[in-house]
C-alpha cells in the first residue's frame, strides 16, 4: 500500500461512521427543536445559560465560556448580546484584568435555566438514555471519552479535563 494512499473505510466502518454522523446531526437538531418549542431559545443559548448557572457567582470570562460551550468568541458574543436583551446575562469588565470581559448570569437568567431544565433533561433522557441499557450507556460514555481524546489530546475541551 502506498504511504499516500487513503485508509478507506471498509463497509462496516462506513456504516458505523454514517450512523454516528447522522446521530450527531439529528440529536443536535432534536434538542434545538425542543428548546425552541418549549423555551424559545436555541440549544447554544441554553448551553451558555446552563454553564453560567453552574459556575461560582454565576460569572465567567467570555473566553473561557466560549471554550466550555464549544463556540467561537465571535459566536458567543452575538449570543450573549441576545441574552442581554432578554435580561438573562450581563457583561462587565473583569476587575482583575480589564482586557477580559465577564459574562454574568442574572437572577432572571437563573430563573430561565430553572424553568427550562426539566423539559430539556426529559428530552435528553428520552432520546439518549431511554433507548439504551445501562451497559450501552457505559459503552457510549467510553466511546465518547476516547473519540474526544483523539480530537483533543491536549485536554483543552471540557469533556477531556
Amino acid at each position: 500500500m502506498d504511504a499516500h494512499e487513503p485508509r478507506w473505510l471498509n463497509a462496516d466502518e462506513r456504516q458505523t461512521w454514517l450512523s454516528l454522523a447522522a446521530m450527531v446531526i439529528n440529536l443536535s437538531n432534536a434538542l434545538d427543536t425542543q428548546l425552541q418549542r418549549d423555551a424559545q431559545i436555541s440549544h447554544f443559548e441554553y448551553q451558555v445559560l446552563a454553564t453560567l448557572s453552574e459556575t461560582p457567582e454565576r460569572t465567567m470570562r467570555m473566553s473561557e465560556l466560549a471554550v466550555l460551550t464549544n463556540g467561537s468568541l465571535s459566536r458567543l458574543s452575538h449570543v450573549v448580546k441576545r441574552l442581554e436583551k432578554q435580561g438573562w446575562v450581563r457583561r462587565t469588565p473583569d476587575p482583575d484584568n480589564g482586557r477580559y470581559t465577564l459574562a454574568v448570569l442574572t437572577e432572571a437568567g437563573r430563573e430561565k435555566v430553572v424553568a427550562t431544565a426539566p423539559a430539556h433533561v426529559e428530552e435528553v433522557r428520552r432520546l439518549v438514555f431511554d433507548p439504551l441499557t445501562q451497559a450501552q450507556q457505559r459503552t457510549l460514555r467510553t466511546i465518547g471519552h476516547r473519540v474526544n481524546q483523539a480530537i483533543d489530546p491536549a485536554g483543552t475541551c471540557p469533556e477531556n479535563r
Side-chain angles (χ1 to χ4, degrees), residues 47-161:
Q47 286 180 290
V48 169
L49 295 172
T51 299
L52 285 172
S53 76
E54 296 173 353
T55 62
E57 299 178 31
R58 300 187 309 228
T59 300
M60 184 178 289
R61 282 183 175 170
M62 291 280 288
S63 54
E64 185 178 352
L65 185 57
V67 169
L68 290 175
T69 57
N70 201 27
S72 69
L73 195 51
S74 174
R75 179 182 184 200
L76 178 65
S77 183
H78 289 293
V79 165
V80 167
K81 186 176 183 176
R82 286 196 308 267
L83 297 174
E84 279 183 305
K85 288 180 181 176
Q86 296 294 326
W88 298 332
V89 175
R90 65 180 172 81
R91 286 184 275 195
T92 185
D94 185 337
D96 296 331
N97 186 334
R99 294 179 298 157
Y100 293 100
T101 300
L102 300 176
V104 181
L105 185 70
T106 65
E107 183 57 29
R110 188 194 69 76
E111 290 170 5
K112 181 65 172 177
V113 172
V114 168
T116 303
H120 179 62
V121 170
E122 185 55 39
E123 188 72 347
V124 169
R125 180 170 297 287
R126 183 182 76 79
L127 296 173
V128 178
F129 294 97
D130 291 350
L132 303 176
T133 66
Q134 286 187 346
Q136 290 169 327
Q137 291 172 27
R138 286 189 297 275
T139 300
L140 181 60
R141 181 173 56 244
T142 300
I143 292 167
H145 285 308
R146 293 190 74 167
V147 171
N148 284 322
Q149 185 62 39
I151 293 167
D152 180 33
T156 58
C157 292
E159 167 63 22
N160 293 336
R161 290 185 181 170

Side-chain angles (χ1 to χ4, degrees), residues 25-47 112-128:
I25 292 166
N26 291 334
L27 181 60
S28 179
N29 289 340
L31 293 175
D32 204 55
T33 297
Q34 178 271 316
L35 285 163
Q36 289 285 353
R37 180 189 64 233
D38 296 345
Q40 295 74 52
I41 61 174
S42 71
H43 188 228
F44 187 68
E45 289 169 326
Y46 179 77
Q47 286 180 290
K112 181 65 172 177
V113 172
V114 168
T116 303
H120 179 62
V121 170
E122 185 55 39
E123 188 72 347
V124 169
R125 180 170 297 287
R126 183 182 76 79
L127 296 173
V128 178

